[in-house]
Amino acid sequence: GVYKFIDTIICCSHFMKSKLDTNPIFRDKTVVIHNFIDKTSGTTQFEKKDYVLYFGRFSREKGVQTLIDVCKSLPHISFVFAGNEAI
């Protein structure tokens, strides 16, 4: 019932729009606006580094403690953690 109050759904790609358009409720409400990052601007060069990235919530059910144990057993590999603490 609340979908009738939605005027427009902004999709970041034509693929996402095509998925939402399969629902007749959304079909006439979707528009595509791509992310507005200018890939040509900026000349910063980054050095490629090998590492393992964990990106997510720091909580027991995600297995973060297991990953920390792996970090300790592989000191020659860099690990980067990014995320929020469990609530």
mmCIF file with all atom_site columns, all heavy atoms in Angstrom, residues 68-87:
data_model
loop_
_atom_site.group_PDB
_atom_site.id
_atom_site.type_symbol
_atom_site.label_atom_id
_atom_site.label_alt_id
_atom_site.label_comp_id
_atom_site.label_asym_id
_atom_site.label_entity_id
_atom_site.label_seq_id
_atom_site.pdbx_PDB_ins_code
_atom_site.Cartn_x
_atom_site.Cartn_y
_atom_site.Cartn_z
_atom_site.occupancy
_atom_site.B_iso_or_equiv
_atom_site.pdbx_formal_charge
_atom_site.auth_seq_id
_atom_site.auth_comp_id
_atom_site.auth_asym_id
_atom_site.auth_atom_id
_atom_site.pdbx_PDB_model_num
ATOM 1   N N   . ILE A 1 68 ? 40.444 -12.807 12.431 1.00 0.00 ? 68 ILE A N   1
ATOM 2   C CA  . ILE A 1 68 ? 41.523 -12.287 13.276 1.00 0.00 ? 68 ILE A CA  1
ATOM 3   C C   . ILE A 1 68 ? 42.525 -13.386 13.593 1.00 0.00 ? 68 ILE A C   1
ATOM 4   O O   . ILE A 1 68 ? 43.744 -13.166 13.563 1.00 0.00 ? 68 ILE A O   1
ATOM 5   C CB  . ILE A 1 68 ? 40.946 -11.656 14.559 1.00 0.00 ? 68 ILE A CB  1
ATOM 6   C CG1 . ILE A 1 68 ? 40.197 -10.372 14.199 1.00 0.00 ? 68 ILE A CG1 1
ATOM 7   C CG2 . ILE A 1 68 ? 42.046 -11.379 15.578 1.00 0.00 ? 68 ILE A CG2 1
ATOM 8   C CD1 . ILE A 1 68 ? 39.393 -9.784  15.332 1.00 0.00 ? 68 ILE A CD1 1
ATOM 9   N N   . ASP A 1 69 ? 42.033 -14.583 13.865 1.00 0.00 ? 69 ASP A N   1
ATOM 10  C CA  . ASP A 1 69 ? 42.927 -15.725 14.114 1.00 0.00 ? 69 ASP A CA  1
ATOM 11  C C   . ASP A 1 69 ? 43.783 -16.033 12.888 1.00 0.00 ? 69 ASP A C   1
ATOM 12  O O   . ASP A 1 69 ? 44.969 -16.335 13.003 1.00 0.00 ? 69 ASP A O   1
ATOM 13  C CB  . ASP A 1 69 ? 42.121 -16.960 14.524 1.00 0.00 ? 69 ASP A CB  1
ATOM 14  C CG  . ASP A 1 69 ? 41.406 -16.786 15.857 1.00 0.00 ? 69 ASP A CG  1
ATOM 15  O OD1 . ASP A 1 69 ? 41.813 -15.900 16.644 1.00 0.00 ? 69 ASP A OD1 1
ATOM 16  O OD2 . ASP A 1 69 ? 40.437 -17.528 16.102 1.00 0.00 ? 69 ASP A OD2 1
ATOM 17  N N   . VAL A 1 70 ? 43.181 -15.936 11.708 1.00 0.00 ? 70 VAL A N   1
ATOM 18  C CA  . VAL A 1 70 ? 43.931 -16.151 10.459 1.00 0.00 ? 70 VAL A CA  1
ATOM 19  C C   . VAL A 1 70 ? 45.008 -15.080 10.309 1.00 0.00 ? 70 VAL A C   1
ATOM 20  O O   . VAL A 1 70 ? 46.140 -15.368 9.913  1.00 0.00 ? 70 VAL A O   1
ATOM 21  C CB  . VAL A 1 70 ? 42.980 -16.159 9.241  1.00 0.00 ? 70 VAL A CB  1
ATOM 22  C CG1 . VAL A 1 70 ? 43.758 -16.135 7.936  1.00 0.00 ? 70 VAL A CG1 1
ATOM 23  C CG2 . VAL A 1 70 ? 42.057 -17.363 9.289  1.00 0.00 ? 70 VAL A CG2 1
ATOM 24  N N   . CYS A 1 71 ? 44.666 -13.819 10.642 1.00 0.00 ? 71 CYS A N   1
ATOM 25  C CA  . CYS A 1 71 ? 45.641 -12.720 10.566 1.00 0.00 ? 71 CYS A CA  1
ATOM 26  C C   . CYS A 1 71 ? 46.878 -13.042 11.401 1.00 0.00 ? 71 CYS A C   1
ATOM 27  O O   . CYS A 1 71 ? 48.009 -12.807 10.971 1.00 0.00 ? 71 CYS A O   1
ATOM 28  C CB  . CYS A 1 71 ? 45.034 -11.416 11.083 1.00 0.00 ? 71 CYS A CB  1
ATOM 29  S SG  . CYS A 1 71 ? 43.727 -10.737 10.082 1.00 0.00 ? 71 CYS A SG  1
ATOM 30  N N   . LYS A 1 72 ? 46.655 -13.555 12.589 1.00 0.00 ? 72 LYS A N   1
ATOM 31  C CA  . LYS A 1 72 ? 47.765 -13.874 13.486 1.00 0.00 ? 72 LYS A CA  1
ATOM 32  C C   . LYS A 1 72 ? 48.640 -14.991 12.930 1.00 0.00 ? 72 LYS A C   1
ATOM 33  O O   . LYS A 1 72 ? 49.853 -14.991 13.139 1.00 0.00 ? 72 LYS A O   1
ATOM 34  C CB  . LYS A 1 72 ? 47.222 -14.275 14.857 1.00 0.00 ? 72 LYS A CB  1
ATOM 35  C CG  . LYS A 1 72 ? 46.567 -13.130 15.598 1.00 0.00 ? 72 LYS A CG  1
ATOM 36  C CD  . LYS A 1 72 ? 45.950 -13.613 16.912 1.00 0.00 ? 72 LYS A CD  1
ATOM 37  C CE  . LYS A 1 72 ? 45.213 -12.502 17.610 1.00 0.00 ? 72 LYS A CE  1
ATOM 38  N NZ  . LYS A 1 72 ? 44.514 -12.971 18.820 1.00 0.00 ? 72 LYS A NZ  1
ATOM 39  N N   . SER A 1 73 ? 48.025 -15.918 12.199 1.00 0.00 ? 73 SER A N   1
ATOM 40  C CA  . SER A 1 73 ? 48.800 -17.043 11.667 1.00 0.00 ? 73 SER A CA  1
ATOM 41  C C   . SER A 1 73 ? 49.492 -16.704 10.343 1.00 0.00 ? 73 SER A C   1
ATOM 42  O O   . SER A 1 73 ? 50.315 -17.489 9.866  1.00 0.00 ? 73 SER A O   1
ATOM 43  C CB  . SER A 1 73 ? 47.900 -18.270 11.491 1.00 0.00 ? 73 SER A CB  1
ATOM 44  O OG  . SER A 1 73 ? 46.953 -18.046 10.465 1.00 0.00 ? 73 SER A OG  1
ATOM 45  N N   . LEU A 1 74 ? 49.158 -15.560 9.754  1.00 0.00 ? 74 LEU A N   1
ATOM 46  C CA  . LEU A 1 74 ? 49.769 -15.145 8.484  1.00 0.00 ? 74 LEU A CA  1
ATOM 47  C C   . LEU A 1 74 ? 50.345 -13.731 8.601  1.00 0.00 ? 74 LEU A C   1
ATOM 48  O O   . LEU A 1 74 ? 49.879 -12.793 7.949  1.00 0.00 ? 74 LEU A O   1
ATOM 49  C CB  . LEU A 1 74 ? 48.723 -15.186 7.361  1.00 0.00 ? 74 LEU A CB  1
ATOM 50  C CG  . LEU A 1 74 ? 48.076 -16.539 7.068  1.00 0.00 ? 74 LEU A CG  1
ATOM 51  C CD1 . LEU A 1 74 ? 46.907 -16.377 6.120  1.00 0.00 ? 74 LEU A CD1 1
ATOM 52  C CD2 . LEU A 1 74 ? 49.095 -17.506 6.509  1.00 0.00 ? 74 LEU A CD2 1
ATOM 53  N N   . PRO A 1 75 ? 51.373 -13.549 9.413  1.00 0.00 ? 75 PRO A N   1
ATOM 54  C CA  . PRO A 1 75 ? 51.903 -12.194 9.647  1.00 0.00 ? 75 PRO A CA  1
ATOM 55  C C   . PRO A 1 75 ? 52.526 -11.545 8.404  1.00 0.00 ? 75 PRO A C   1
ATOM 56  O O   . PRO A 1 75 ? 52.677 -10.326 8.365  1.00 0.00 ? 75 PRO A O   1
ATOM 57  C CB  . PRO A 1 75 ? 52.945 -12.408 10.743 1.00 0.00 ? 75 PRO A CB  1
ATOM 58  C CG  . PRO A 1 75 ? 53.333 -13.834 10.623 1.00 0.00 ? 75 PRO A CG  1
ATOM 59  C CD  . PRO A 1 75 ? 52.119 -14.561 10.138 1.00 0.00 ? 75 PRO A CD  1
ATOM 60  N N   . HIS A 1 76 ? 52.843 -12.313 7.388  1.00 0.00 ? 76 HIS A N   1
ATOM 61  C CA  . HIS A 1 76 ? 53.450 -11.768 6.173  1.00 0.00 ? 76 HIS A CA  1
ATOM 62  C C   . HIS A 1 76 ? 52.407 -11.189 5.206  1.00 0.00 ? 76 HIS A C   1
ATOM 63  O O   . HIS A 1 76 ? 52.763 -10.593 4.192  1.00 0.00 ? 76 HIS A O   1
ATOM 64  C CB  . HIS A 1 76 ? 54.266 -12.856 5.470  1.00 0.00 ? 76 HIS A CB  1
ATOM 65  C CG  . HIS A 1 76 ? 53.455 -14.048 5.078  1.00 0.00 ? 76 HIS A CG  1
ATOM 66  N ND1 . HIS A 1 76 ? 53.008 -14.973 6.008  1.00 0.00 ? 76 HIS A ND1 1
ATOM 67  C CD2 . HIS A 1 76 ? 52.984 -14.450 3.885  1.00 0.00 ? 76 HIS A CD2 1
ATOM 68  C CE1 . HIS A 1 76 ? 52.313 -15.901 5.382  1.00 0.00 ? 76 HIS A CE1 1
ATOM 69  N NE2 . HIS A 1 76 ? 52.276 -15.602 4.083  1.00 0.00 ? 76 HIS A NE2 1
ATOM 70  N N   . ILE A 1 77 ? 51.117 -11.345 5.517  1.00 0.00 ? 77 ILE A N   1
ATOM 71  C CA  . ILE A 1 77 ? 50.045 -10.821 4.676  1.00 0.00 ? 77 ILE A CA  1
ATOM 72  C C   . ILE A 1 77 ? 49.383 -9.651  5.379  1.00 0.00 ? 77 ILE A C   1
ATOM 73  O O   . ILE A 1 77 ? 49.081 -9.712  6.569  1.00 0.00 ? 77 ILE A O   1
ATOM 74  C CB  . ILE A 1 77 ? 49.003 -11.920 4.367  1.00 0.00 ? 77 ILE A CB  1
ATOM 75  C CG1 . ILE A 1 77 ? 49.659 -13.053 3.564  1.00 0.00 ? 77 ILE A CG1 1
ATOM 76  C CG2 . ILE A 1 77 ? 47.813 -11.345 3.612  1.00 0.00 ? 77 ILE A CG2 1
ATOM 77  C CD1 . ILE A 1 77 ? 48.742 -14.214 3.279  1.00 0.00 ? 77 ILE A CD1 1
ATOM 78  N N   . SER A 1 78 ? 49.133 -8.570  4.642  1.00 0.00 ? 78 SER A N   1
ATOM 79  C CA  . SER A 1 78 ? 48.475 -7.399  5.210  1.00 0.00 ? 78 SER A CA  1
ATOM 80  C C   . SER A 1 78 ? 46.957 -7.593  5.183  1.00 0.00 ? 78 SER A C   1
ATOM 81  O O   . SER A 1 78 ? 46.401 -8.029  4.180  1.00 0.00 ? 78 SER A O   1
ATOM 82  C CB  . SER A 1 78 ? 48.822 -6.142  4.414  1.00 0.00 ? 78 SER A CB  1
ATOM 83  O OG  . SER A 1 78 ? 50.193 -5.876  4.486  1.00 0.00 ? 78 SER A OG  1
ATOM 84  N N   . PHE A 1 79 ? 46.319 -7.256  6.283  1.00 0.00 ? 79 PHE A N   1
ATOM 85  C CA  . PHE A 1 79 ? 44.867 -7.313  6.388  1.00 0.00 ? 79 PHE A CA  1
ATOM 86  C C   . PHE A 1 79 ? 44.356 -5.908  6.699  1.00 0.00 ? 79 PHE A C   1
ATOM 87  O O   . PHE A 1 79 ? 44.925 -5.206  7.527  1.00 0.00 ? 79 PHE A O   1
ATOM 88  C CB  . PHE A 1 79 ? 44.429 -8.261  7.504  1.00 0.00 ? 79 PHE A CB  1
ATOM 89  C CG  . PHE A 1 79 ? 44.646 -9.718  7.177  1.00 0.00 ? 79 PHE A CG  1
ATOM 90  C CD1 . PHE A 1 79 ? 45.892 -10.294 7.343  1.00 0.00 ? 79 PHE A CD1 1
ATOM 91  C CD2 . PHE A 1 79 ? 43.605 -10.496 6.710  1.00 0.00 ? 79 PHE A CD2 1
ATOM 92  C CE1 . PHE A 1 79 ? 46.104 -11.637 7.034  1.00 0.00 ? 79 PHE A CE1 1
ATOM 93  C CE2 . PHE A 1 79 ? 43.812 -11.834 6.400  1.00 0.00 ? 79 PHE A CE2 1
ATOM 94  C CZ  . PHE A 1 79 ? 45.052 -12.402 6.570  1.00 0.00 ? 79 PHE A CZ  1
ATOM 95  N N   . VAL A 1 80 ? 43.280 -5.513  6.025  1.00 0.00 ? 80 VAL A N   1
ATOM 96  C CA  . VAL A 1 80 ? 42.659 -4.211  6.262  1.00 0.00 ? 80 VAL A CA  1
ATOM 97  C C   . VAL A 1 80 ? 41.212 -4.478  6.677  1.00 0.00 ? 80 VAL A C   1
ATOM 98  O O   . VAL A 1 80 ? 40.493 -5.232  6.013  1.00 0.00 ? 80 VAL A O   1
ATOM 99  C CB  . VAL A 1 80 ? 42.691 -3.338  4.988  1.00 0.00 ? 80 VAL A CB  1
ATOM 100 C CG1 . VAL A 1 80 ? 41.955 -2.024  5.209  1.00 0.00 ? 80 VAL A CG1 1
ATOM 101 C CG2 . VAL A 1 80 ? 44.122 -3.097  4.540  1.00 0.00 ? 80 VAL A CG2 1
ATOM 102 N N   . PHE A 1 81 ? 40.798 -3.857  7.780  1.00 0.00 ? 81 PHE A N   1
ATOM 103 C CA  . PHE A 1 81 ? 39.441 -4.006  8.274  1.00 0.00 ? 81 PHE A CA  1
ATOM 104 C C   . PHE A 1 81 ? 38.723 -2.674  8.162  1.00 0.00 ? 81 PHE A C   1
ATOM 105 O O   . PHE A 1 81 ? 39.260 -1.640  8.564  1.00 0.00 ? 81 PHE A O   1
ATOM 106 C CB  . PHE A 1 81 ? 39.453 -4.452  9.749  1.00 0.00 ? 81 PHE A CB  1
ATOM 107 C CG  . PHE A 1 81 ? 39.901 -5.871  9.941  1.00 0.00 ? 81 PHE A CG  1
ATOM 108 C CD1 . PHE A 1 81 ? 41.234 -6.199  9.909  1.00 0.00 ? 81 PHE A CD1 1
ATOM 109 C CD2 . PHE A 1 81 ? 38.971 -6.861  10.172 1.00 0.00 ? 81 PHE A CD2 1
ATOM 110 C CE1 . PHE A 1 81 ? 41.651 -7.501  10.101 1.00 0.00 ? 81 PHE A CE1 1
ATOM 111 C CE2 . PHE A 1 81 ? 39.363 -8.179  10.356 1.00 0.00 ? 81 PHE A CE2 1
ATOM 112 C CZ  . PHE A 1 81 ? 40.703 -8.491  10.317 1.00 0.00 ? 81 PHE A CZ  1
ATOM 113 N N   . ALA A 1 82 ? 37.506 -2.694  7.631  1.00 0.00 ? 82 ALA A N   1
ATOM 114 C CA  . ALA A 1 82 ? 36.690 -1.491  7.527  1.00 0.00 ? 82 ALA A CA  1
ATOM 115 C C   . ALA A 1 82 ? 35.254 -1.866  7.841  1.00 0.00 ? 82 ALA A C   1
ATOM 116 O O   . ALA A 1 82 ? 34.737 -2.855  7.322  1.00 0.00 ? 82 ALA A O   1
ATOM 117 C CB  . ALA A 1 82 ? 36.782 -0.892  6.130  1.00 0.00 ? 82 ALA A CB  1
ATOM 118 N N   . GLY A 1 83 ? 34.627 -1.112  8.737  1.00 0.00 ? 83 GLY A N   1
ATOM 119 C CA  . GLY A 1 83 ? 33.240 -1.415  9.041  1.00 0.00 ? 83 GLY A CA  1
ATOM 120 C C   . GLY A 1 83 ? 32.796 -0.787  10.341 1.00 0.00 ? 83 GLY A C   1
ATOM 121 O O   . GLY A 1 83 ? 33.459 0.084   10.878 1.00 0.00 ? 83 GLY A O   1
ATOM 122 N N   . ASN A 1 84 ? 31.670 -1.274  10.821 1.00 0.00 ? 84 ASN A N   1
ATOM 123 C CA  . ASN A 1 84 ? 31.075 -0.772  12.057 1.00 0.00 ? 84 ASN A CA  1
ATOM 124 C C   . ASN A 1 84 ? 31.128 -1.841  13.133 1.00 0.00 ? 84 ASN A C   1
ATOM 125 O O   . ASN A 1 84 ? 31.155 -3.033  12.836 1.00 0.00 ? 84 ASN A O   1
ATOM 126 C CB  . ASN A 1 84 ? 29.604 -0.412  11.843 1.00 0.00 ? 84 ASN A CB  1
ATOM 127 C CG  . ASN A 1 84 ? 29.406 0.760   10.936 1.00 0.00 ? 84 ASN A CG  1
ATOM 128 O OD1 . ASN A 1 84 ? 30.358 1.332   10.425 1.00 0.00 ? 84 ASN A OD1 1
ATOM 129 N ND2 . ASN A 1 84 ? 28.172 1.116   10.718 1.00 0.00 ? 84 ASN A ND2 1
ATOM 130 N N   . GLU A 1 85 ? 31.074 -1.383  14.363 1.00 0.00 ? 85 GLU A N   1
ATOM 131 C CA  . GLU A 1 85 ? 31.003 -2.332  15.462 1.00 0.00 ? 85 GLU A CA  1
ATOM 132 C C   . GLU A 1 85 ? 29.603 -2.897  15.543 1.00 0.00 ? 85 GLU A C   1
ATOM 133 O O   . GLU A 1 85 ? 28.634 -2.302  15.070 1.00 0.00 ? 85 GLU A O   1
ATOM 134 C CB  . GLU A 1 85 ? 31.363 -1.658  16.778 1.00 0.00 ? 85 GLU A CB  1
ATOM 135 C CG  . GLU A 1 85 ? 30.405 -0.552  17.171 1.00 0.00 ? 85 GLU A CG  1
ATOM 136 C CD  . GLU A 1 85 ? 30.817 0.126   18.445 1.00 0.00 ? 85 GLU A CD  1
ATOM 137 O OE1 . GLU A 1 85 ? 30.406 -0.355  19.510 1.00 0.00 ? 85 GLU A OE1 1
ATOM 138 O OE2 . GLU A 1 85 ? 31.548 1.120   18.367 1.00 0.00 ? 85 GLU A OE2 1
ATOM 139 N N   . ALA A 1 86 ? 29.488 -4.084  16.126 1.00 0.00 ? 86 ALA A N   1
ATOM 140 C CA  . ALA A 1 86 ? 28.181 -4.717  16.276 1.00 0.00 ? 86 ALA A CA  1
ATOM 141 C C   . ALA A 1 86 ? 27.342 -3.925  17.280 1.00 0.00 ? 86 ALA A C   1
ATOM 142 O O   . ALA A 1 86 ? 27.862 -3.384  18.239 1.00 0.00 ? 86 ALA A O   1
ATOM 143 C CB  . ALA A 1 86 ? 28.352 -6.154  16.766 1.00 0.00 ? 86 ALA A CB  1
ATOM 144 N N   . ILE A 1 87 ? 26.056 -3.850  17.003 1.00 0.00 ? 87 ILE A N   1
ATOM 145 C CA  . ILE A 1 87 ? 25.166 -3.154  17.937 1.00 0.00 ? 87 ILE A CA  1
ATOM 146 C C   . ILE A 1 87 ? 24.340 -4.121  18.730 1.00 0.00 ? 87 ILE A C   1
ATOM 147 O O   . ILE A 1 87 ? 24.084 -5.193  18.382 1.00 0.00 ? 87 ILE A O   1
ATOM 148 C CB  . ILE A 1 87 ? 24.210 -2.170  17.226 1.00 0.00 ? 87 ILE A CB  1
ATOM 149 C CG1 . ILE A 1 87 ? 24.070 -2.426  15.755 1.00 0.00 ? 87 ILE A CG1 1
ATOM 150 C CG2 . ILE A 1 87 ? 24.548 -0.782  17.491 1.00 0.00 ? 87 ILE A CG2 1
ATOM 151 C CD1 . ILE A 1 87 ? 23.145 -1.489  15.030 1.00 0.00 ? 87 ILE A CD1 1
#
